[in-house]
Amino acid sequence: MTTTATTSIVDVQDVSLAFGSVKALQDVSLTLAAGEITALVGDNGAGKSTLVRCISGIHKPQSGTISFEGKPVHFRSPEDAREAGIETVHQNLALVDDLTVWQNLFLNREITRGIGPIRFLDRKAMKEAADRMVSNLAVNVPAVKSKVRRLSGGQRQAVSICRAAGFSSKLVIMDEPTAALGVQETAKVEALILKLRDDGHSVLLISHNFSQVMRLSDQVWVMRAGRCVAGRRTIETTGDEIVSLITGSREK
Amino acid sequence: MNSLGSPRPRKDAAGWQQDVKSIGWWAEHAAIIGLIGLSIVFTSLSPVFLTAGNIQSILVAASILIVLTVGQSFVILSDGIDLSVAATMTLGVIAFGMAYAQGAGLLVSMLAAIAASSVIGILNGVLVAKGRITDFIVTLGTLSVASGLALVLSDGKPISITSIELINFSTHGVLIFGNPFIVAAAVAIIAHVVLFRTRFGTHLFATGGSKEAAQATGISTARIKIAVYTISGVLAGVAAILLVARVGASEPAANTTFLLNSVAAVVLGGVSLTGGRGSIFGPIVGALLLTVLTNGLTLMNVSQFYQPLAVGVVVILAALLSRFQK
Ligand SMILES: Nc1ncnc2c1ncn2[C@@H]1O[C@H](COP(=O)(O)OP(=O)(O)OP(=O)(O)O)[C@@H](O)[C@H]1O
Ligand SMILES: [Mg+2]
């Protein structure tokens, strides 16, 4: 009833995490298949973002294991996770408003040149590469030299996704990437997500939009009150079933 | 392709005129406009103001403040504030004097000044980053610690430093640029390169602009914080050396004006007090403006007592203007 035969890229086993008395995650187990779009759904406060933060190295699980490409991993920081090939588009849009598009795209991945330890930014190379990255997108982003502050919500999201898709990432995690977007922007971002999969990235998508989940995903996991309560192949389920799993009116 | 609409750059003549009329434009260039405005006023009021000799003395007088302001800019750009800069400089001055009085050479005395100031800087950084105490409180504490230490170590007494080399250093230079100003200018240029041409600089802006976003990309904001306070400490040490050279003595003075002016110069220079936005040259123009203000008032025989008043008015005006920044 749950997973398929394809190889998994992430295996979450019995992961638990509490913030004081709040049990944000309780024995969560799920798998993400390589090359697929996996959706993670659940009500507000179900623990979706917290799980994502464990996978991307921001939080450390208090118990349980997370395996990436078959090997258990213990990321100590987001840097470690990015190093391994996991990029995250965070719910709160983790871009720095006062930096330019190209600076954000290359944040902590700057291209430098110089001799030995004395290194300077290769701004030209980064701007050119940023231009290329952005022009590959289906979304129209203004000049890479403009400050992120001036971008619309959809353009920001496109930049975040663009950054996550770059740097040969294997898994791209997106926490509600279309939450703040209009109809057209949502459509474009959805196109970007499908393109990511077609380009060979695995995708973990958190969304409250069921039709979007049904449209895009291959596999759905449902979380409720800190637990992963069900998993379904998307083609074998319906929006109604997902809703009843989320609210708990139906188990397993 | 256009549904997300890119803002078209409007740099035609009409757009530019609009720029000049908007208050935001004035706000962003407050320091340089103020500097030019004041210079025009003082030139018309005093025949001495625009002479080579006076410009030279303004630049030399500004050099200590410029060095401190550069350190303060690093800290404020990272969304902090260093209230201890002036006290840290004083401690450096005392360290210099004590080493010199013990018979150490100039070089060793200078290193002592920088070492003592760096210790306070590192302490600030570690307490802010690892102790998770607000920047304001930490540096308020170390302000007291450093000035207290300076008093204890010097027993409240000045040590005169009679070194021909130091006197030569502070009274000579190239053209109208005195050596102290050349040191300050070098510090400023290095600071500019570090801020805008290195990874560290970018990470500093990211830390000041959005700590969460910086951390999400794996930047260690704690390391950045420690680094900026250390830089501020080292530069307070450099300023201490310039101060000893200028005064010819090592005095445990409070130097509070330097603290106020360093923050004022950064604000005048258009650096966002919440971090993440600004430059190095803006604050330096701010420091020059404050020095010109003092110099001009002195030339016009305005009592020294009025100078803090004038500085205060200018800073508050600048802060008001900066609210209109884009
Ligand atoms: N840093 C934190 N400190 C304390 N409690 C936290 C923290 N982060 C999350 N929580 C709590 O953990 C629970 C799960 O939160 P989480 O953000 O993972 O929910 P979510 O499923 O992403 O919800 P949403 O759909 O609203 O984004 C919530 O009760 C939340 O209050
Ligand atoms: Mg969430």
Side-chain angles (χ1 to χ4, degrees), chain A residues 58 78-79 82 90 94-96 98-99 103 107-110 112 119-121 123 138-140 142 149-150 152 154-155 163 184-185 188, chain B residues 1-7 193 195-199 202-203 205-207 209-210 212-220 275-277 326:
Chain A
I58 296 176
E79 174 75 55
R82 291 188 82 191
H90 287 282
L95 297 177
V96 183
D98 287 315
L99 295 182
Q103 283 175 314
L107 195 53
N108 209 18
R109 287 283 185 280
E110 293 87 355
T112 58
R119 308 203 67 82
F120 296 101
L121 296 177
R123 294 157 62 101
V139 174
N140 181 18
R149 186 177 290 286
R150 302 195 160 188
S152 73
Q155 292 170 330
R163 178 168 74 186
Q184 286 198 336
E185 280 94 342
K188 296 211 168 192
Chain B
M1 270 300 275
N2 277 322
S3 65
L4 287 175
S6 57
V193 171
L195 270 185
F196 293 100
R197 292 288 186 271
T198 68
R199 294 187 74 195
T202 308
H203 294 184
F205 276 104
T207 302
S210 168
E212 288 78 33
Q215 284 171 344
T217 63
I219 293 172
S220 165
R277 185 152 41 93
K326 284 169 229 157

Side-chain angles (χ1 to χ4, degrees), chain A residues 43-50 53 91 175-176 206 208:
Chain A
D43 266 338
N44 295 123
K48 306 179 298 293
S49 296
T50 307
R53 285 159 173 265
Q91 190 165 10
D175 197 347
E176 300 189 32
I206 296 180
H208 285 290

